Amino acid sequence: RISSATSLSSAIINTRLQELVKLFKERTEKVKEKLTDPDVTSDDESPTTSPAAAPVPPLGGETEGDKPAGDEHYCEMLCCTFKYRPWLDHLKNYRFPSSIDPLTNLMYVLWLFFVVMAWNWNCWLIPIRWAFPYQTPANIHFWLVVDYLCDLIYLLDILVFQTRLQFVRGGDIITDKKAMKENYLRSQRFKMDVVCLLPLDFFYFKVGVNPLLRFPRCLKYMAFFEFNNRLEAILSKAYIYRVIRTTAYLLYSLHVNSCLYYWASAYEGLGSTTWVYDGEGNSYIRCYYWAVKTLITIGGLPDPKTLFEIVFQLLNYFTGVFAFSVMIGQMRDVVGAATAGQTYYRSCMDSTIKYMNFYKIPKTVQNRVKTWYEYTWHSQGMLDESELLVQLPDKMRLDIAIDVNYNIVSKVALFQGCDRQMIFDMLKRLRSVVYLPNDYVCKKGEIGREMYIIQAGQVQVLGGPDGKTVLVTLKAGSVFGEISLLAAGGGNRRTANVVAHGFANLFILDKKDLNEILVHYPESQKLLRKKAKKMLKNSNKPKDEKGAPGDPLIIPPKADTPKLFQAALAATGRMGGKGPLAQLRWRLKELKAMPA
């Protein structure tokens, strides 16, 4: 009993020691993996809350985990309960920012929109109220209310927004309240804003409500140009806004000219001559029609009679020719900038077609080249992405490359555990290539010097005796050819043909570029070579190796006789016993003696 208890305890101890050794080995492997790849998360469970510190569930039995993720708010009205969003709470808890980034803050762009609307009210309505008899004692209250509402917007812009704008000094972004206020007070913008709000309205008590006294309100043009810059920076198709703005310039010049024509007609006397406005119909529409014919120099206008009319018409013609030519030139620049990419694409296409026709390239090849041009342009909006990125600093190119390619490259098994900075450097070396349907990405027997990452589309791996059997179809995010980057002896040969199934966008990494990067990362180079050897060893294993699935047999081989059964038969023979085992042993001898 003592010996059996001792053996039992030793077996338990041995089992426990083996478990401890296994746990230590697993822990060591995890630590090694974490050291080689910092991104690997730990499998340790998070500490659970002790029963003493656990919250007590409410009486209804509902715990915190049973509550919905978002807070629900209800409003009882009459006999019903309605669900509403807590926007009032957000509005009450909102705090105005102490500093505003004028380049990226959308709230500031929205505020500039209201400032520009107030500025446009003054620019468009002051001339028309001065020239035309639209401002009367009956509606003077409406005009004054809107005027002073615009003045309030101007004042809030000075006191609240402009004094909180961040600025750059010596390369640093200044967010200090006192420094931002001093910067605005010393700027030209502040001087113009003060002139805009000159209180000339006090002269109303002496000369009456004359809209010309509000002319300084039109000098807040800096806000208009700043709004244009900020809006164009956030619009995806800014050229549309540029066309609208240029058209507004033309309409405003015609608007001012129509106001001047009505003033000149009133000065000469309405209907006094054939040149002035006769006072019939809608005065603004008639004067605007005359301004359009004058500025565009269509002709067909009545001849001026008096010296004042002649001088006015001469100045009008000169101004019209100059303004109209400027507008046409600006419109041409806007449209040209909007279609610059399309023009470049067309010129490249025409030059390529001219080259192929000169050398008498077959039509099939020409059609494939045209298809490549059309698909590349429509899919990515440019022919070569590197032309766009070459203008950016190295840091910005890296940021764009990380956002576009890092999620794909980080999933490649070959680069798992490598230095993160090495992967960042590798992202900048990737080249984007478009393959047409049935294009060979690589052929069997070629020396592999590139790795391919599928960005969009599909490719098919072909094999078999005829080389046309589809072995596997790789989709977006898949990687192939990665072993060729680190294979010894100058590279390994491709073992199958890879063909594009439809249009395929691929990223290519050259072996030369990777070697230039690995010079600076020796640890990652050792890890990559170790992984490459392991992957090559696995890929070169024969199929009939032990433990690997071989060719299926039609008649499976006979199983060997169990060793324990053989020992029992041998013991029966030595003892010379009789029974079922002895008969079975005699029968087996007869079977062995039979010919195969």
Side-chain angles (χ1 to χ4, degrees), residues 297-370:
T297 62
I298 296 177
L301 295 173
D303 295 330
K305 304 298 182 181
T306 64
L307 179 62
F308 175 81
E309 294 175 358
I310 293 173
V311 173
F312 185 89
Q313 189 70 350
L314 286 175
L315 294 176
N316 214 353
Y317 276 137
F318 285 132
T319 307
V321 172
F322 176 75
F324 192 69
S325 59
V326 169
M327 297 299 172
I328 294 298
Q330 189 172 3
M331 187 69 72
R332 183 202 60 187
D333 294 339
V334 170
V335 176
T339 59
Q342 190 74 20
T343 304
Y344 173 73
Y345 160 70
R346 275 291 155 204
S347 63
C348 292
M349 178 79 111
D350 295 341
S351 301
T352 305
I353 293 176
K354 183 179 179 181
Y355 173 85
M356 292 188 295
N357 290 334
F358 179 79
Y359 285 98
K360 298 180 180 179
I361 305 297
K363 289 295 182 181
T364 55
V365 179
Q366 292 192 24
N367 292 334
R368 294 183 65 82
V369 171
K370 294 177 183 178

Side-chain angles (χ1 to χ4, degrees), residues 59-100:
L59 296 176
E62 182 184 7
T63 60
E64 293 183 358
D66 299 329
K67 292 184 180 180
D71 296 335
E72 295 186 353
H73 301 264
Y74 294 92
C75 174
E76 294 184 1
M77 183 182 298
L78 298 180
C79 60
C80 302
T81 302
F82 299 96
K83 188 176 181 180
Y84 73 98
R85 297 179 62 86
W87 60 273
L88 286 177
D89 295 339
H90 291 292
L91 188 61
K92 292 178 182 178
N93 298 330
Y94 179 75
R95 295 293 180 269
F96 198 80
S98 59
S99 64
I100 300 174

